[in-house]
């Protein structure tokens, strides 16, 4: 069993007094069903599961009747009784049964059980849902294993995390032996990735070929999903984009260029295809900014973007040949820069952070920009030994109106702060987290209006 962070989110959801249905969203094969089922068996007296892909007859339970009638049918169908207040019902792959999604509102209101639904955002968008249960469900995005979860899987001791986080917060170097071991672990993560089945196969056998077989099977499954879910008129375009991601990432400046697909390709014809891959959870778009200033969303340039894979292991398996073995020897050549960027993009997205970069001829390229409260964090990713050379960052910092005073470079080196730049080992990306938004109380003084009325 792989330890996943979604479990803590589900525990927080379970503690809420006025619970809604939890809707776990994410790409296929990332562990949504397994995590939900393990949670149900561990924390509830009664656990009932319906899978709308494996069991085609399960959808008939939701065709007619009110919530009580549906629950009676469910108990009869599964042979399991609902224990009021102590039962979790998992509606797995709910995108295959739109009627069940609609019924969630009434089932939650009925109140005798708790509900978790799993599905891809893609399926829930493409399938016709008669009525969405607005206000009666909470979305819990889920992703492949992030680096910290991978470290749990390969047996990194808990004490190591405490030590590393202390070094991160105090901006102090890590002991060299620990640093070298964690770098090797990070390179291993880049090769194996975070798809649970691939991670499990590796931890079971230490065989990268076993993990690669799983990765290639998942890549094929994603291709099949294009023909299963996408509109017929979009299928060819989506497949072309999907297959082009590795080569486009490896190109100069990594920006996705439609002209590489076809000289006559235009964004307005392909926009829905990019959106499809994003909603499927398969691709992670990273948008260019007109300026690296807050609010970043308002400076987003939707027509200029990079497109990353949802998982670094899948990118390795898709086209990079024997790169896994080079990584394990720490050979991060310039050709692997795109793979490293993909890994960091995956880490940031797993923290539910939007992905942005900046690239203008006068300045150069800044790899990632994150809005952190009232300022912008610049995250530069360096694969080589010359990580202290950063001409674009130097130029950007010199532009006073941008106020770029929070600069981090993730690299092969140890923790070091120099000239207002914090150099961090690649593995410390697991600790990076912008400050949480603080809700400030504001009391509106209406006394002046009362005075007018009295006069």
């Amino acid at each position: 069993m792989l330890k996943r962070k979604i479990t803590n989110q589900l525990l927080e959801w379970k503690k809420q007094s006025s619970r809604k249905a939890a809707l776990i969203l994410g790409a296929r094969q990332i562990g949504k069903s397994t995590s939900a089922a393990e949670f149900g068996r561990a924390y509830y007296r009664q656990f009932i599961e319906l899978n709308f892909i494996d069991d085609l007859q399960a959808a008939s339970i939701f065709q007619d009747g009110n919530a009580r009638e549906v629950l009676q049918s469910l108990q009869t169908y599964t042979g399991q009784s609902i224990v009021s207040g102590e039962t979790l019902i998992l509606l797995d792959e709910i995108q295959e049964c739109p009627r069940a999604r609609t019924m969630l509102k009434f089932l939650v209101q009925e109140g005798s059980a708790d509900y978790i639904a799993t599905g891809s955002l893609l399926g829930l968008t493409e399938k016709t849902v008669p009525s969405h249960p607005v206000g009666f469900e909470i979305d819990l995005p889920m992703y492949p294993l992030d680096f910290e979860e991978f470290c749990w899987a390969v047996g990194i001791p808990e004490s190591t995390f405490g030590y590393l986080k202390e070094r991160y917060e105090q901006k102090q170097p890590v002991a060299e032996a620990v640093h070298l071991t964690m770098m090797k672990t990070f390179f291993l993560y880049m090769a194996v990735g975070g798809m649970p089945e691939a991670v499990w196969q590796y931890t079971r056998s230490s065989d990268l070929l076993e993990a690669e077989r799983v990765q290639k099977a998942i890549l094929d499954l994603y291709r099949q999903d294009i023909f299963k879910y996408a509109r017929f008129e979009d299928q060819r375009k989506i497949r072309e984009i999907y297959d082009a991601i590795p080569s486009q990432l490896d190109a100069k400046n990594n920006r996705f260029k439609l002209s590489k697909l076809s000289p006559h390709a235009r964004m307005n014809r392909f926009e829905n295809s990019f959106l499809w891959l994003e909603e499927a959870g398969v691709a992670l778009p990273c948008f260019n900014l007109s300026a690296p200033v807050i609010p970043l969303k308002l400076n987003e340039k939707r027509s200029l973007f990079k497109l990353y894979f949802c998982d670094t292991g899948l990118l390795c398996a898709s086209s990079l040949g024997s790169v896994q073995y080079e990584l394990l020897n720490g050979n991060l050549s310039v050709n692997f820069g795109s793979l490293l960027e993909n890994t960091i993009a995956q880490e940031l997205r797993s923290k539910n952070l939007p992905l942005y970069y900046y690239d203008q001829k006068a300045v150069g390229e800044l790899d990632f920009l994150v809005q952190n409260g009232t300022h912008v964090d610049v995250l530069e990713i360096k694969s080589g030994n010359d990580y202290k050379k950063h001409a674009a960052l130097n130029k950007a910092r010199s532009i006073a109106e941008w106020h770029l005073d929070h600069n981090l470079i993730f690299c092969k080196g140890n923790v070091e702060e120099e000239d207002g730049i914090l150099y961090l080992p690649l593995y410390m990306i697991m600790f990076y987290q912008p400050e949480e938004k603080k809700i400030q109380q504001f009391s509106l003084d209406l006394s002046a209006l009362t005075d007018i009325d009295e006069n």
Side-chain angles (χ1 to χ4, degrees), residues 106-231:
F106 307 103
L107 293 170
V108 169
Q109 287 178 320
E110 191 275 339
S112 60
D114 293 342
Y115 298 88
I116 294 177
T118 72
S120 69
L121 182 57
L122 165 69
L124 294 173
T125 302
E126 294 294 321
K127 297 286 183 178
T128 302
V129 179
S131 175
H132 290 265
V134 178
F136 291 87
E137 63 183 16
I138 179 172
D139 291 351
L140 297 178
M142 190 174 176
Y143 304 92
L145 277 78
D146 64 18
F147 178 60
E148 186 174 13
E149 290 174 314
F150 181 80
C151 288
W152 296 340
V154 298
I156 299 295
E158 191 62 36
S159 58
T160 302
F161 294 103
Y163 167 73
L164 291 174
K165 190 165 188 181
E166 180 184 81
R167 300 283 90 184
Y168 172 81
E169 292 174 345
Q170 295 180 358
K171 302 178 183 178
Q172 295 296 317
V174 175
E176 192 63 17
V178 177
H179 171 67
L180 292 175
T181 300
M182 291 305 301
M183 287 300 294
K184 289 179 180 177
T185 306
F186 189 81
F187 296 153
L188 177 62
Y189 174 65
M190 289 174 67
V192 176
M195 303 307 281
E197 180 65 17
V199 174
W200 183 84
Q201 287 289 354
Y202 175 78
T203 57
R204 181 186 63 85
S205 64
S206 298
D207 189 343
L208 286 174
L209 286 177
E210 287 293 322
E212 188 176 19
R213 289 190 190 98
V214 174
Q215 292 163 345
K216 288 186 174 180
I218 294 172
L219 288 167
D220 288 341
L221 176 66
Y222 286 171
R223 288 189 182 94
Q224 294 167 21
D225 281 350
I226 294 173
F227 296 102
K228 179 178 180 180
Y229 288 110
R231 295 182 303 177

Side-chain angles (χ1 to χ4, degrees), residues 122 125-126 222-223 225-243 261 266-277 279:
L122 165 69
T125 302
E126 294 294 321
Y222 286 171
R223 288 189 182 94
D225 281 350
I226 294 173
F227 296 102
K228 179 178 180 180
Y229 288 110
R231 295 182 303 177
F232 176 78
E233 58 269 29
D234 293 332
Q235 290 174 1
R236 181 185 59 81
K237 290 180 286 188
I238 295 171
R239 176 67 180 269
E240 287 178 351
I241 295 169
Y242 175 78
D243 288 339
L261 301 181
R266 295 293 180 268
M267 188 61 192
N268 60 354
R269 290 181 54 239
F270 279 79
E271 188 170 6
N272 287 339
S273 301
F274 285 108
L275 181 62
W276 192 98
L277 286 167
E279 290 184 342

